[in-house]
Amino acid sequence: MDGRLSLSFLIGCGRNSSMKPYFDKLRDGVILPLVVCVFVALVVRILMIFLSPGPLRADEFFQYMEPAYYKLTGHGVLTWEWQAGIRSWLLPDMIAQILKAGYALGLGYSTIFVRIVFALCSLGLVAGFVYAGWVTEGISGAWICGMSAALWPDMVNDSFRTLGETVSGNIMALSVLIIYIAMKKQGKAHVGFPILFAFGLLTGLSFAFRFHLAPALCLEVMIVVWLTGVRSVLPVAAGLLLPVCMLGLVDYQTLGHPFQSIYKNFYLNVNEGVALRYGSMPAVFYPFGLFHLWGAAFLPLCWLFWKGMLEHRYMASIPLFILLYHSMISHKEISFVYAAIPILVLVASFALSKIARSGRAIHLSLLVGSLAIVELGVLASSYADAIHKNNRIMALQVKANKMPDMCGLALVGQDGGWWLSGGYSHMKPNRALYLLTDTTEGDVPSTKYNYVIGGDGYNIFNKDSQKIICKNDVCLYHVNSTCDGAPDYTQFSRTVVRMNR
């Protein structure tokens, strides 16, 4: 009996001894931070999709999701940009294919499915951060860079948005990552042709989705060619030209001329000054805007970026250049400089990883946990209020869609907040959406809709309306209507175009 116990004990010890190197390798290798950071990123992004049904800004739905939905169903809001032919159909066409895939899976034309696909694609950026941190600062770099990408508020909140600037920004950051990792692993002069081709392909895609990033992309390409040598020109150019030619072809097929979405957009917004209709901001808008969003995290991030810039000056020059030349353009939105944020966060993460690796900081697990808490704190404190406000109209539209007797929905006046609605892509099928610029019916007979989204006082002037539910100062009303006549699916588009003349 004692012999059997001794033998079992020795076998068990042998097994534990043989497993120990495996667990040590798992603990000290890149696999564990990769799996954990990607999983955390996935959970947070999926959660945000359901917590933030509203748009980041109007273009998310009305410049991308609505054209895609229109292409599939014939119903959708087409703003003046689409009717003037200054927007490329490249991204809406891709969104349309995702909607079709969701329909084939029995989900209908689901915008939530589109957002989930976008969120899943953004996980590649998280994985890239983990590996870039690993090749730069070892295990501390993998954990810190990975957790930064997984939870940094902008990268979370923008990961699933159907916006050209966020899609293009993520692709640009990915192009920076793959060439950086390759140069660290293989040496600057020995980066393989497939990597250089992939780099060119990603920079070309980034340009195709957001041509406004062209100056920064040119800077990035010039830096890479200078670092890797003349041998890189051919594979980079070959990769870059493919998506650029694809953009020209799509514009030719849909708008009538190659690259019309670029030159006509530039002409109307710069030469004709159309962009100035939507506001002009001072040159300091972006630094102050980011300070407002990041709060107490702004100064530490800037300090870490400055520390990291000393060692990664070529990479750091890209986000600084994006901020610089966008600050010279009068019309500004924070999302326009999104492409700068992932790279800025990466450089700052390298600096923090170096401090952690040197032993001058707290234990790595405490540091990563503290980093996660800070990031989630910024997300909750700075972004939650804006997300809540942008959800109001969408929540009421969803409520109206659930009403079995709903034959049409009208958004009334400024309080109706049409730019925060979901358009036809978020409407019940075969139901029309109307936009009324005041509390009267205008060119829309009241018999065409029986639900209204308007200000809290709408029922004071419309005695036949019944308040159902309110979100802040906007409410959903039921109005008496016979629901007669054919739905007018183009009224919303006509009204939006008339408002922007």
Side-chain angles (χ1 to χ4, degrees):
M1 183 72 177
D2 291 342
R4 286 198 299 267
L5 284 172
S6 300
L7 182 60
S8 299
F9 177 76
L10 289 171
I11 293 172
C13 288
R15 285 177 178 169
N16 289 338
S17 299
S18 64
M19 292 296 288
K20 190 174 184 299
Y22 172 79
F23 287 118
D24 287 344
K25 187 176 180 181
L26 181 64
R27 183 193 63 202
D28 298 330
V30 72
I31 300 298
L32 186 59
L34 178 64
V35 171
V36 171
C37 291
V38 169
F39 177 75
V40 169
L42 176 62
V43 170
V44 173
R45 282 154 175 74
I46 297 299
L47 185 63
M48 281 295 295
I49 288 173
F50 292 96
L51 290 178
S52 181
L56 183 67
R57 62 188 193 87
D59 285 10
E60 183 180 344
F61 292 154
F62 289 99
Q63 300 294 6
Y64 296 99
M65 195 76 81
E66 281 294 284
Y69 190 79
Y70 173 84
K71 201 153 196 177
L72 294 175
T73 67
H75 302 156
V77 178
L78 293 181
T79 60
W80 73 268
E81 291 97 330
W82 290 101
Q83 299 190 33
I86 66 169
R87 290 275 184 172
S88 171
W89 281 92
L90 184 61
L91 187 53
D93 279 349
M94 293 181 65
I95 295 171
Q97 295 305 312
I98 299 172
L99 286 169
K100 286 174 68 175
Y103 189 87
L105 293 172
L107 303 173
Y109 292 129
S110 171
T111 56
I112 291 178
F113 179 70
V114 173
R115 286 178 149 199
I116 289 173
V117 171
F118 273 53
L120 290 173
C121 291
S122 76
L123 297 179
L125 198 57
V126 179
F129 266 62
V130 173
Y131 204 70
W134 168 255
V135 299
T136 306
E137 298 294 345
I139 191 66
S140 61
W143 278 109
I144 290 171
C145 293
M147 199 56 68
S148 295
L151 295 178
W152 188 257
D154 304 270
M155 297 177 70
V156 171
N157 193 34
D158 294 2
S159 62
F160 55 88
R161 306 290 181 180
T162 50
L163 278 170
E165 52 261 43
T166 57
V167 173
S168 177
N170 282 337
I171 294 173
M172 183 180 185
L174 196 58
S175 72
V176 170
L177 284 165
I178 67 159
I179 199 68
Y180 173 78
I181 292 168
M183 286 192 292
K184 290 290 285 186
K185 295 278 288 182
Q186 302 172 13
K188 295 174 185 176
H190 303 288
V191 177
F193 278 22
I195 295 294
L196 292 168
F197 178 82
F199 167 77
L201 188 67
L202 289 171
T203 54
L205 276 174
S206 182
F207 170 82
F209 289 133
R210 180 76 177 171
F211 73 87
H212 309 70
L213 288 177
L217 291 166
C218 286
L219 174 64
E220 181 190 1
V221 170
M222 286 190 293
I223 289 172
V224 168
V225 170
W226 185 68
L227 291 174
T228 57
V230 179
R231 58 183 286 276
S232 64
V233 171
L234 187 60
V236 169
L240 194 150
L241 284 173
L242 280 179
V244 173
C245 291
M246 180 175 65
L247 171 65
L249 181 61
V250 169
D251 277 10
Y252 175 73
Q253 291 178 333
T254 56
L255 303 178
H257 296 90
F259 305 109
Q260 180 175 313
S261 63
I262 297 177
Y263 70 77
K264 193 171 183 180
N265 188 307
F266 184 85
Y267 175 78
L268 288 178
N269 283 313
V270 177
N271 290 31
E272 298 293 324
V274 173
L276 295 178
R277 295 178 190 171
Y278 302 96
S280 176
M281 295 295 179
V284 295
F285 172 79
Y286 289 119
F288 278 92
L290 293 174
F291 176 74
H292 174 73
L293 285 174
W294 298 343
F298 179 82
L299 290 179
L301 182 73
C302 290
W303 179 75
L304 286 169
F305 177 76
W306 177 79
K307 294 278 287 184
M309 184 171 59
L310 301 176
E311 187 173 344
H312 304 279
R313 58 187 181 277
Y314 298 118
M315 185 186 295
S317 67
I318 297 170
L320 291 177
F321 186 53
I322 292 172
L323 290 169
L324 176 64
Y325 79 80
H326 274 84
S327 296
M328 299 177 186
I329 301 170
S330 297
H331 179 58
K332 299 176 178 69
E333 301 279 354
I334 283 292
S335 63
F336 289 175
V337 296
Y338 169 78
I341 295 174
I343 307 171
L344 191 152
V345 171
L346 180 62
V347 174
S349 300
F350 285 155
L352 184 58
S353 303
K354 189 171 185 176
I355 294 171
R357 191 179 187 184
S358 68
R360 290 178 286 156
I362 59 177
H363 191 272
L364 180 60
S365 58
L366 291 176
L367 183 58
V368 173
S370 301
L371 176 63
I373 291 170
V374 168
E375 291 178 297
L376 291 173
V378 173
L379 179 62
S381 61
S382 298
Y383 290 74
D385 185 56
I387 289 171
H388 176 70
K389 288 180 180 178
N390 289 2
N391 284 346
R392 294 174 301 161
I393 309 302
M394 278 297 304
L396 297 178
Q397 189 173 351
V398 169
K399 179 71 174 178
N401 284 334
K402 293 180 179 177
M403 298 297 179
D405 64 330
M406 196 262 280
C407 64
L409 175 65
L411 305 178
V412 175
Q414 294 297 315
D415 292 329
W418 68 268
W419 55 91
L420 294 178
S421 74
Y424 278 96
S425 56
H426 293 78
M427 277 291 288
K428 184 187 292 186
N430 302 316
R431 301 293 189 276
L433 184 64
Y434 301 100
L435 177 57
L436 312 182
T437 53
D438 52 39
T439 56
T440 61
E441 286 77 10
D443 61 344
V444 182
S446 59
T447 56
K448 288 187 179 290
Y449 59 88
N450 59 347
Y451 284 89
V452 169
I453 294 176
D456 197 13
Y458 176 84
N459 56 334
I460 297 175
F461 303 99
N462 297 268
K463 301 299 183 182
D464 65 337
S465 61
Q466 178 185 356
K467 187 182 293 184
I468 298 173
I469 188 174
C470 292
K471 294 289 183 182
N472 294 349
D473 55 346
V474 185
C475 304
L476 175 66
Y477 300 89
H478 179 267
V479 296
N480 294 326
S481 173
T482 55
C483 292
D484 294 334
D488 185 352
Y489 293 109
T490 64
Q491 186 274 341
F492 201 118
S493 295
R494 295 197 310 269
T495 305
V496 170
V497 170
R498 186 170 66 244
M499 289 168 62
N500 284 280
R501 280 176 181 165

